[in-house]
Amino acid sequence: VTPGMDVAAALKTLVRGGPEIVIDSVGKGATIAQALEAVVPGGAAVVVGLHEVKQPASINPAALVYQNKRLLG
């Protein structure tokens, strides 16, 4: 992974359509959003890292509702 890299797009290329589960061990707002973006509809993004524990993370709630994605911790 390189700075500025679109991780979600790279994962969708490596795993046709995207993985069913992404585990974010960093826990920054940006990596949480990328994990949720990368998973297929019905998939789950699991956050285990706490790098920015006191910083809010911006996510797209439409991904949770319309694509039935799950965000777990």
Side-chain angles (χ1 to χ4, degrees):
V1 178
T2 59
M5 179 180 187
D6 186 343
V7 176
L11 285 171
K12 289 178 181 181
T13 300
L14 290 170
V15 180
R16 188 176 308 172
E20 291 187 27
I21 298 173
V22 171
I23 299 172
D24 174 20
S25 62
V26 176
K28 292 181 75 169
T31 59
I32 294 169
Q34 289 173 350
L36 190 59
E37 168 70 24
V39 295
V40 295
V46 181
V47 180
V48 296
L50 295 173
H51 180 72
E52 291 183 347
V53 70
K54 294 185 180 184
Q55 298 298 318
S58 296
I59 61 163
N60 180 359
L64 301 173
V65 178
Y66 296 128
Q67 297 178 352
N68 199 31
K69 293 182 179 183
R70 293 168 289 146
L71 181 59
L72 308 168

